[in-house]
């Protein structure tokens, strides 16, 4: 998204992507620690790191809106980031309504389908995401 100017080329757009990276880094560290060190799962500090997942996903939802509005990506590449990055909007209510087990399946399926499809769109149709020179 940075290289193609997906959300625009303004300073604000660059800052938005930087903020998203800052939010996503501790979220990924949390997942790594959660997976590798099960004994740490109930610790306060890991719980604090876990807060970065929904925050980063909400930030990504805003970026998905920005991709669609900016219009620098075309076709499915323009709209699919909004679908892929709607994880928090879909999964958090699903967990609340359907419970942790079914909500977890919804969340995992949403991540897999959303981002795998976005990756396939970009891989097979790179002309849709090429930045304007």
């Amino acid at each position: 998204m940075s290289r193609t100017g997906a959300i625009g080329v303004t300073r604000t757009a660059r800052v938005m992507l930087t903020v998203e990276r800052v939010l996503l880094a501790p979220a990924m560290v949390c997942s790594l620690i959660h997976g590798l060190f099960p004994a740490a799962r109930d610790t306060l500090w890991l719980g604090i790191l876990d807060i970065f997942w929904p925050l980063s996903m909400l930030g990504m939802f805003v970026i998905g809106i920005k991709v669609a509005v900016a219009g620098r990506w075309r076709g499915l590449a323009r709209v699919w980031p909004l679908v892929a990055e709607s994880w928090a909007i879909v999964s958090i209510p699903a967990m609340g309504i359907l419970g942790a087990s079914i909500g977890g399946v919804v969340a995992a399926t949403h991540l897999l389908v959303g981002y795998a499809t976005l990756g396939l769109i970009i891989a097979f149709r790179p002309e849709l995401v090429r930045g304007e020179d």
Side-chain angles (χ1 to χ4, degrees):
M1 289 184 172
S2 292
R3 283 190 289 152
T4 62
I7 66 170
V9 293
T10 64
R11 184 179 186 320
T12 301
R14 288 189 306 273
V15 167
M16 285 176 69
L17 290 174
T18 300
V19 167
E20 182 55 36
R21 286 184 192 106
V22 169
L23 291 172
L24 195 53
M28 291 187 300
V29 169
C30 177
S31 290
L32 185 64
I33 293 169
H34 188 270
L36 294 177
F37 303 102
R41 290 181 181 164
D42 293 327
T43 61
L44 176 63
W45 64 270
L46 194 59
I48 292 168
L49 277 182
D50 194 40
I51 292 168
F52 284 90
W53 263 123
L55 291 175
S56 70
M57 297 308 278
L58 287 170
M60 292 174 81
F61 181 68
V62 171
I63 287 170
I65 292 169
K66 204 56 177 108
V67 169
V69 171
R72 294 179 58 84
W73 286 9
R74 297 181 318 278
L76 266 179
R78 181 177 180 176
V79 297
W80 198 262
L82 185 55
V83 174
E85 295 171 357
S86 66
W87 180 90
I89 306 303
V90 171
S91 300
I92 292 173
M95 288 181 197
I97 295 167
L98 303 172
S101 295
I102 296 173
V105 171
V106 169
T109 302
H110 191 283
L111 277 174
L112 178 63
V113 172
Y115 287 108
T117 301
L118 181 58
L120 290 170
I121 291 167
I122 293 170
F124 288 102
R125 300 286 311 276
E127 70 278 5
L128 296 177
V129 299
R130 288 202 178 102
E132 299 169 356
D133 295 323

